[in-house]
Amino acid sequence: FVFYLDLDGMKEINDNLGHEYGDKALIATSRIMYKSFRTTDILSRLGGDEFVAVAVKAQYEFIPIIIQRIKDYIKEENKNLKGYAISISIGVSKVNLDNESALEDGIKDADKEMYRAKVKNKKNRK
């Protein structure tokens, strides 16, 4: 499974609080990911405020557990932050290993799902 994560409100953090806070938000997001996934999973920052995790050989029934773990660690991180709160939009897709471009397709599909979550999160933040 591919998880596509996007830090919500990064532009507002940078514009209103400064890039130092934006950097701290990125580090906090990295920490959340590190705690949420297994050491056998592959974690990457794509750039900006976008991250990808490949849950190697994960079973479908563990996806809600991983998402809940991410949410729990977000709450934990937010207790230590001042001036803003971390919010992350998450999209998940299953990788079809029979496809030659399996990972690329999985990332694209997870990105689409993340965007849907981002729209929903933005509405909830207002």
Side-chain angles (χ1 to χ4, degrees):
F1 286 89
V2 174
F3 290 75
Y4 199 108
L5 297 90
D6 187 270
L7 180 59
D8 297 328
M10 183 66 173
K11 181 175 177 9
E12 289 81 13
I13 293 170
N14 281 333
D15 289 352
N16 297 328
L17 300 171
H19 289 274
E20 179 183 340
Y21 281 88
D23 291 346
K24 289 179 182 180
L26 292 171
I27 292 167
T29 302
S30 297
R31 198 169 26 248
I32 290 164
M33 289 182 63
Y34 180 77
K35 291 177 180 179
S36 299
F37 291 92
R38 303 166 297 176
T39 57
T40 55
D41 296 332
I42 301 165
L43 309 179
S44 177
R45 178 179 173 207
L46 292 181
D49 58 356
E50 298 176 324
F51 298 81
V52 167
V54 178
V56 180
K57 296 184 181 179
Q59 301 298 318
Y60 179 77
E61 59 268 15
F62 292 113
I63 302 309
I65 294 168
I66 295 169
I67 292 172
Q68 186 58 53
R69 196 180 303 151
I70 293 168
K71 290 177 181 180
D72 291 343
Y73 285 124
I74 289 170
K75 287 179 189 174
E76 184 179 299
E77 282 291 328
N78 282 337
K79 290 178 186 176
N80 301 318
L81 298 175
K82 294 178 181 163
Y84 66 98
I86 296 289
S87 173
I88 298 174
S89 297
I90 306 167
V92 183
S93 72
K94 185 172 186 201
V95 175
N96 178 0
L97 297 177
D98 296 330
N99 186 338
E100 192 172 297
S101 60
L103 185 57
E104 184 179 327
D105 292 343
I107 291 171
K108 286 179 184 176
D109 292 343
D111 181 32
K112 289 176 190 173
E113 291 301 316
M114 179 281 303
Y115 185 76
R116 287 186 189 108
K118 189 166 212 53
V119 169
K120 183 179 175 184
N121 287 346
K122 192 170 189 174
K123 287 179 185 176
N124 291 337
R125 282 195 322 240
K126 288 185 176 183

